[in-house]
Amino acid sequence: MIEVQNVTRYFGRVMAVNDVSFEVAKGEILGFLGPNAAGKTTTMRVLTTYLPATKGTAKVAGFDVHDQSMEVRKRIGYLPENPPLYQEMRVRDYLDFVAKIKQVEPKNRKKAVDEALGKTGTTNVGNRVIKTLSKGYKQRVGLAQALVHNPDVLILDEPTVGLDPKQIIEVRELIKSLAGNHTIILSTHILPEVSMTCERVVIIDKGKVVAEDSPDNLTKKLSGSMRFKVVVDAPRDQVEEKLRSLPGVKKVTPANAPGNKKLSTLLVEGQGKEEIRPVLVKSIIENGWNLYELTPEGMSLEDVFLHLTTKEEEPVQ
Amino acid sequence: MRKFLAIYNREVKSYFSSPIAYIIIGLFLLITGVFYYLIVTSFVQYCMRADMQAQYYRMAPPKLNVNVMAIRNLFQNMSLFMSFFLPMITMRLYSDEKKTGTIELLMTSPITNLQSILGKFSAAVTLFLAMLAFTSVYMILLFIYGNPELGPVLTGYLGLFLLGSSYIAFGVFFSTLTDNQIIAAASTFVFILFFWAIGWVSAMVSPGLGHVLSSFSLIEHFEDFAKGVLDTKHIVYYLSFITMGLFLSFVSIESSRWRGR
Ligand SMILES: Nc1ncnc2c1ncn2[C@@H]1O[C@H](COP(=O)(O)OP(=O)(O)OP(=O)(O)O)[C@@H](O)[C@H]1O
Ligand SMILES: [Mg+2]
C-alpha cells in the first residue's frame, strides 16, 4: 500500500532524511519510532505530498507522491504534528469544510462528520469554537479531521500527544480498530505505544532507518546480553560491590526495592552470552546472604530504542 | 468548482465572523466620509461664491460640474485609502495558514493551488466589494441633492474595482511569502506605493522614459476611469496586473514546498 524507496530530503545543507526505504502492506499498522529530529515528520510529509523528496520515490496506493499527487491526496488522511485547525471555526463547520475539500459527496457529508465526531469522542464539543477547546480536545479534532473522508491510508504524526491516559487508550483502540480496512503509519516517541498498537516498527535515527521488525522480534534480537534481577537481604552497597567484582559481570545497577527495606534489588548484566547465574548464586551464598529472587530480565523496547539510537557501532541485521 | 467554493466560503465566513472586516469597512467609510464632507462642502462654497460673483457682474451663473470638481476628487482619494486598507484584508490569507500549520491541511488535500489562490482572492475581493458598496451611499446623496452624470460614476467604480483587485492580487502574493501578517501587509503597502511613485517620477524624467514609466504606474491608468473614459487599454493593464499577482502567488507556494517553509 505504501512503498518508500531511497527517499532523501535535504533542507539546504541539512540532510533530514537519508536514503530511507520501507513498505507497508494493506491493513497494516506501522510504528515509526525515533528520537527528536530523526526525520519522522519529514518522511511523513514526503508521503503526504506536502514536501517533495530531494531524491528517491514514494508510492501510496500505487500512485507516485510526486507525479500523481492528487490521486494520493484523495486516499490519505493526515494528522500533522500540529493539528491543522482553524481556531475561529466551530468544530462541526471545520469538519464539514475538511469533508468538502476532501471530496466527500454532499449528501454523505453530514454523516461523515457525525461519524468522525463519534469515533474521536468529540460529539459533545461539536458546536464549540475550536480555540476554546483544551489541548487534548484539539488533538482529537485533528484526528477527526484525518478520518472524516474515511481514507484508505492514515498518516498520523504523534497522534496521542497531549491526551489524557484514558483518551490515549481510547485512541490506541481506535487506531487498532481502523487497521484492516485502513493502512496506518504512526510516529511516536512513546515506546509502549508501539508495542501495543503496531505490528511492525521502523526505527529511524539521524535520517536513517536503523531497524525494522515486529516489536517482539526487535526485543528478542537485542536481548543478546543476559540481564538478571537479583534480590538479596543485605546492604545494597556491599552486594553491589561484591557482584561487580565477579568474573563475567559487566554492569550492576541498583534498583529500588519496593516495600521491604531489608532487601536490596539489583540488575546484573553479563558480558555477552556467558552464563553468570551460577557465579552469582555461589558468591551470594558464600557471603552468608539469602537469595530471594533471581529472574531474567528481557530488554524492553525502551532499551532497544536507546541501544539503537545511541550506539551506532552495533547495528542490527 | 466545489472545492473553490469551499475555500471561498470559508474565507468569507471567517472575514465576517471576526470583527476585523467590520473595523476595516468602518474605518474606510469613516475616512472616505470625512473627505466626502470636506470635498462636497468646499464644492458648495465654491458654487455659492461663483453665484454671488455672477450676480455682482450681472452675468448668468456659471455651470460648475459636480463630476469634475467633486466626484473625481473623491475617487482619487478613495484609490489612495484603498492602498492602505486592502493590505489589511489580504495579510492573513496565507500568512495565517503558514503560522498555524493549516497550510499543511490545504496542501495535502485534493485541491490545486490554483483553486485555493482563486478562492482566497475572490473572498478578499468580495469584502472589498462590500466596502465599495457602502460608499455608494455618498454617491446616492449627490444624486438626490444634485444632478451629476451617471457615466463617470460607473466608470469610476469600475476603475476602483480593478485597481483594488490589483492590490489584492499582490496582497495575496506577499502573504504567501511570510508567516507574519504585519510583514505581509507592510510589504504589500510598500509595493503599492512604489507603483504609485513611478507615476510621480515619470513627470520628472525625460518624456520618453517618463511615458514608459507612467504606463506602469498603477494610478496613471486610473485617471481615465475617474474622468469617465472607458479605455480597454487600462482594463487590460489591470487584468494583467491581477494575473501577474496571482501567478506569482502560485510560483511562491510551489517553491516554498521545495524550500520546506
Ligand atoms: N522546514 C525545515 N527547514 C529546515 N530544516 C528542517 C525543516 N524541517 C525539518 N528540518 C530539519 O530536519 C531534521 C528532521 O526533522 P523532523 O521534523 O523530520 O524530525 P522528527 O523526527 O519529526 O522530530 P520530532 O520527534 O522532534 O518531531 C531536523 O534536523 C530539522 O531541524
Ligand atoms: Mg516530528
Side-chain angles (χ1 to χ4, degrees):
Chain A
M1 200 65 178
I2 301 173
E3 298 162 47
V4 181
Q5 277 171 18
N6 310 101
V7 165
T8 299
R9 169 75 206 206
Y10 284 90
F11 291 105
R13 314 185 76 205
V14 178
M15 191 189 254
V17 173
N18 180 4
D19 200 23
V20 163
S21 305
F22 61 89
E23 281 182 21
V24 192
K26 189 170 177 353
E28 198 179 20
I29 307 184
L30 178 87
F32 210 43
L33 201 59
N36 288 132
K40 303 182 294 293
T41 299
T42 307
T43 310
M44 291 184 144
R45 283 179 167 172
V46 170
L47 279 177
T48 55
T49 75
Y50 181 66
L51 285 179
T54 314
K55 263 185 260 156
T57 57
K59 278 188 181 167
V60 175
F63 297 100
D64 187 280
V65 291
H66 187 254
D67 300 332
Q68 296 157 303
S69 63
M70 286 300 149
E71 294 303 318
V72 172
R73 290 176 183 197
K74 279 181 206 165
R75 289 165 177 80
I76 55 166
Y78 175 37
L79 173 64
E81 211 160 22
N82 306 309
L85 306 173
Y86 292 104
Q87 302 286 338
E88 77 286 352
M89 285 178 104
R90 288 177 196 282
V91 174
R92 247 172 208 290
D93 295 342
Y94 168 70
L95 291 177
D96 190 59
F97 166 73
V98 176
K100 275 187 206 161
I101 61 173
K102 301 282 185 183
Q103 297 188 324
V104 177
E105 287 298 316
K107 60 177 193 297
N108 302 333
R109 225 160 50 217
K110 186 166 182 312
K111 196 167 142 261
V113 170
D114 284 338
E115 275 177 16
L117 288 170
K119 280 181 191 164
T120 52
T122 44
T123 312
N124 57 335
V125 296
N127 292 321
R128 292 264 296 271
V129 175
I130 292 177
K131 73 174 157 211
T132 67
L133 296 178
S134 71
K135 181 165 165 29
Y137 268 87
K138 285 181 184 163
Q139 186 70 18
R140 296 190 204 188
V141 175
L143 201 56
Q145 162 275 132
L147 295 172
V148 72
H149 55 305
N150 198 22
D152 293 342
V153 175
L154 278 170
I155 296 183
L156 311 172
D157 203 346
E158 300 182 27
T160 55
V161 157
L163 300 180
D164 62 49
K166 185 163 161 283
Q167 181 65 19
I168 287 180
I169 294 168
E170 280 173 29
V171 167
R172 282 181 195 154
E173 289 306 317
L174 171 65
I175 292 173
K176 268 199 244 176
S177 73
L178 291 170
N181 296 323
H182 306 257
T183 308
I184 304 172
I185 297 189
L186 67 89
S187 81
T188 178
H189 308 121
I190 311 166
L191 299 148
E193 185 153 295
V194 172
S195 32
M196 273 181 245
T197 44
C198 304
E199 293 142 31
R200 219 148 52 80
V201 195
V202 167
I203 299 184
I204 175 173
D205 184 37
K206 302 196 182 78
K208 272 195 133 90
V209 173
V210 288
E212 181 186 348
D213 213 328
S214 71
D216 285 350
N217 281 349
L218 274 181
T219 332
K220 271 191 214 137
K221 253 190 209 170
L222 280 150
S223 43
S225 60
M226 305 293 257
R227 204 161 64 150
F228 302 97
K229 184 169 148 200
V230 183
V231 183
V232 183
D233 68 340
R236 209 170 63 187
D237 304 347
Q238 282 180 32
V239 184
E240 194 182 335
E241 205 186 308
K242 185 71 211 158
L243 294 186
R244 193 168 281 149
S245 67
L246 294 174
V249 171
K250 183 170 146 201
K251 206 164 132 200
V252 180
T253 0
N256 272 345
N260 197 338
K261 287 224 173 71
K262 281 187 215 145
L263 297 180
S264 344
T265 308
L266 301 110
L267 288 175
V268 182
E269 204 174 312
Q271 218 117 37
K273 303 222 182 231
E274 207 175 318
E275 182 59 85
I276 53 167
R277 271 176 288 193
V279 188
L280 288 180
V281 176
K282 212 165 147 198
S283 145
I284 288 167
I285 304 290
E286 275 170 3
N287 277 281
W289 303 326
N290 292 315
L291 182 62
Y292 281 77
E293 192 181 334
L294 176 62
T295 41
E297 286 261 300
M299 263 191 163
S300 69
L301 205 50
E302 214 107 350
D303 301 315
V304 174
F305 182 64
L306 284 175
H307 185 84
L308 281 171
T309 54
T310 48
K311 283 188 217 151
E312 278 186 342
E313 63 279 0
E314 290 172 281
V316 189
Q317 46 298 79
Chain B
M1 190 61 189
R2 205 184 277 158
K3 286 175 269 176
F4 160 81
L5 280 179
I7 303 280
Y8 171 81
N9 285 333
R10 202 200 71 74
E11 290 292 346
V12 170
K13 254 190 220 144
S14 124
Y15 274 134
F16 286 100
S17 65
S18 74
I20 297 168
Y22 302 101
I23 291 172
I24 290 178
I25 291 181
L27 284 178
F28 183 73
L29 286 181
L30 182 72
I31 195 159
T32 46
V34 168
F35 275 76
Y36 171 79
Y37 176 77
L38 294 176
I39 288 169
V40 170
T41 49
S42 76
F43 175 69
V44 169
Q45 276 172 6
Y46 189 81
C47 289
M48 282 182 358
R49 231 181 296 133
D51 265 3
M52 266 154 49
Q53 275 179 355
Q55 268 175 4
Y56 185 80
Y57 293 112
R58 292 176 197 287
M59 291 190 310
K63 271 218 146 334
L64 293 172
N65 190 332
V66 63
N67 282 98
V68 174
M69 296 189 62
I71 295 178
R72 189 190 295 178
N73 204 338
L74 191 64
F75 276 135
Q76 280 160 348
N77 278 301
M78 270 158 66
S79 70
L80 179 65
F81 303 144
M82 271 157 42
S83 68
F84 190 72
F85 283 99
L86 292 184
M88 289 195 241
I89 290 181
T90 55
M91 65 182 182
R92 45 163 280 270
L93 286 176
Y94 278 98
S95 305
D96 205 35
E97 304 245 8
K98 286 180 161 228
K99 181 151 227 150
T100 60
T102 47
I103 189 90
E104 227 167 321
L105 168 64
L106 283 190
M107 302 204 25
T108 58
S109 295
I111 55 169
T112 61
N113 288 339
L114 192 65
Q115 285 165 332
S116 95
I117 291 170
L118 288 179
K120 283 167 183 288
F121 171 74
S122 312
V125 169
T126 304
L127 179 59
F128 167 53
L129 281 177
M131 245 162 88
L132 280 188
F134 280 113
T135 66
S136 68
V137 175
Y138 300 145
M139 299 297 166
I140 290 168
L141 284 177
L142 286 181
F143 276 94
I144 292 173
Y145 294 105
N147 54 342
E149 271 179 76
L150 184 60
V153 175
L154 292 183
T155 57
Y157 268 112
L158 178 65
L160 282 184
F161 169 69
L162 288 170
L163 180 70
S165 302
S166 311
Y167 293 171
I168 291 172
F170 273 86
V172 173
F173 168 61
F174 283 106
S175 83
T176 63
L177 292 182
T178 168
D179 63 8
N180 183 321
Q181 298 192 24
I182 306 298
I183 294 178
S187 43
T188 310
F189 182 62
V190 168
F191 173 85
I192 292 170
L193 274 195
F194 176 77
F195 268 84
W196 270 59
I198 286 181
W200 304 328
V201 173
S202 66
M204 294 178 235
V205 294
S206 69
L209 182 63
H211 189 71
V212 174
L213 282 182
S214 75
S215 73
F216 281 106
S217 164
L218 267 171
I219 202 61
E220 213 70 20
H221 290 269
F222 180 68
E223 291 300 317
D224 275 352
F225 286 105
K227 283 180 198 155
V229 180
L230 202 57
D231 189 338
T232 44
K233 175 176 86 187
H234 303 312
I235 297 179
V236 168
Y237 169 81
Y238 283 124
L239 291 183
S240 340
F241 213 88
I242 293 167
T243 313
M244 192 65 192
L246 298 181
F247 174 71
L248 286 177
S249 311
F250 183 82
V251 172
S252 155
I253 293 176
E254 278 296 317
S255 79
S256 74
R257 288 181 65 221
W258 290 97
R259 287 199 317 273
R261 77 194 75 206

